[in-house]
Amino acid sequence: MKGVERAAALLKASTRLCVFTGAGVSAESGIATFRDEGGFWERYPMRDFGTPGGLARIGLSQPERLVDFLLDLLEPVSSAAPNPAHRAIAALEGQRRVTVVTQNVDGLHQTAGSDEVHEVHGSLFQIVDAAGAPLKRLRAREVERMVADLKKAKNGRFLAGMRAMSAIKPLIAFGPSGLKHRPNVVLFGEAMAEPAWSRAHHAVARCDGMIVVGTSGTVYPAAELPDQARERGVPIVGVGPEEGDADLWLSGRAGDVLPALVEAMAA
Ligand code: OAD
């Protein structure tokens, strides 16, 4: 594969590697990205579905749209398995110290076996109270049940909104004084997930090599992490179909490129 040997040479001496990932790394697991054609924000405008205020408005005015959104969000994640890209990243740990910093909320890096993963935009499975304190971790089975219940709510024309609110109770619930609990997913305008964000900064400040995979690099502050590594002169290899900012870019799908890169780095 073109460039793989050169990329491997660039990263070979690295002993503290940082892998920074975005939605593209999970695309081959069947989870849509946000900004590609037909992506999430095309179907569900970001100002309505990506902000706390927008979601509250949609919930009140168009509950059936909220059901569609939640189904489209939860169903692929509930049935997704790690793809060769996640597995290649996990396999890197057999070679050197690796920290994964991900903008994804799907938990697939951990399922693939990566040990040190910082989810800077939080996790769909981690439930927190209104103040952000962790309450519990949802099991895959609970998410699957929610998907089934949401489908039922969608098919029943009447009271779809009420049935949906009841179906998603394990995920989001309201009490007399407002929000009771929600997933620890960072929406636009909210603070980054902690302690993941501080730990990600720490890892990036110490890394001596970086792979950037499957991200448009357009959402800040997450996108400042590769910038910080670059400022320190850390070699950066980029992976994805559309060329971005990196010392060397490997064009292609993460599931094709990463296994080849990891194999070349081991040689
Ligand atoms: P985007 O949708 O902005 O970008 C996805 C990137 O993945 C693009 O550069 C694609 O070219 C690339 N891509 C697509 N398929 C790929 C594949 N098979 N292999 C490798 N790359 C592929 O997603 P993110 O950059 O992750 O935040 O978006 C960042 C943040 O914006 C998300 O975490 C989310 C979103 O709004 C919040 O909601 C706060």
Side-chain angles (χ1 to χ4, degrees):
M1 195 176 287
K2 208 172 142 213
V4 163
E5 299 299 332
R6 277 194 299 135
L10 204 59
L11 298 174
K12 192 138 180 117
S14 157
T15 54
R16 289 187 308 273
L17 188 68
C18 214
V19 185
F20 180 62
T21 72
V25 82
S26 294
E28 291 154 73
S29 294
I31 301 175
T33 63
F34 294 94
R35 294 175 182 78
D36 289 305
E37 216 182 304
F40 227 76
W41 294 148
E42 195 179 297
R43 286 174 287 145
Y44 300 100
M46 199 247 289
R47 67 173 186 286
D48 294 328
F49 292 90
T51 63
L55 276 174
R57 271 196 308 277
I58 292 285
L60 287 172
S61 61
Q62 302 176 58
E64 64 294 344
R65 279 285 282 155
L66 186 65
V67 176
D68 288 342
F69 169 72
L70 289 171
L71 259 179
D72 271 3
L73 181 75
L74 295 174
E75 194 170 16
V77 172
S78 74
S79 57
N83 66 54
H86 298 105
R87 289 198 292 272
I89 292 167
L92 268 172
E93 286 180 13
Q95 299 177 4
R96 61 200 77 220
R97 170 123 195 231
V98 179
T99 303
V100 178
V101 176
T102 188
Q103 298 165 89
N104 300 345
V105 297
D106 55 33
L108 289 177
H109 285 299
Q110 294 93 323
T111 308
S114 284
D115 269 339
E116 200 183 331
V117 182
H118 303 312
E119 298 171 301
V120 296
H121 285 164
S123 164
L124 201 49
F125 296 95
Q126 178 64 57
I127 303 300
V128 292
D129 69 13
L135 292 176
K136 70 173 279 194
R137 252 198 111 72
L138 282 183
R139 286 185 299 254
R141 241 196 358 259
E142 291 174 276
V143 181
E144 278 165 27
R145 196 176 317 128
M146 249 186 285
V147 167
D149 289 347
L150 279 169
K151 279 184 174 164
K152 275 190 218 145
K154 188 178 154 76
N155 293 335
R157 284 187 47 164
F158 300 105
L159 297 177
M162 274 171 71
R163 286 184 69 171
M165 289 318 283
S166 149
I168 60 164
K169 251 188 200 147
L171 198 68
I172 306 168
F174 295 88
S177 49
L179 183 71
K180 263 168 73 181
H181 65 249
R182 58 171 276 186
N184 187 26
V185 167
V186 175
L187 298 170
F188 282 93
E190 294 187 314
M192 298 294 272
E194 288 291 0
W197 181 233
S198 301
R199 289 179 181 161
H201 264 287
H202 187 69
V204 170
R206 288 159 43 89
C207 75
D208 55 8
M210 183 179 266
I211 305 176
V212 174
V213 194
T215 177
S216 57
T218 51
V219 175
Y220 282 82
E224 76 191 26
L225 294 173
D227 294 344
Q228 282 170 13
R230 190 172 299 113
E231 275 164 23
R232 289 199 300 111
V234 170
I236 302 182
V237 169
V239 178
E242 291 160 39
E243 184 152 347
D245 220 359
D247 296 305
L248 199 152
W249 193 269
L250 298 173
S251 284
R253 300 183 335 157
D256 299 327
V257 175
L258 279 172
L261 175 62
V262 171
E263 197 186 321
M265 284 168 72

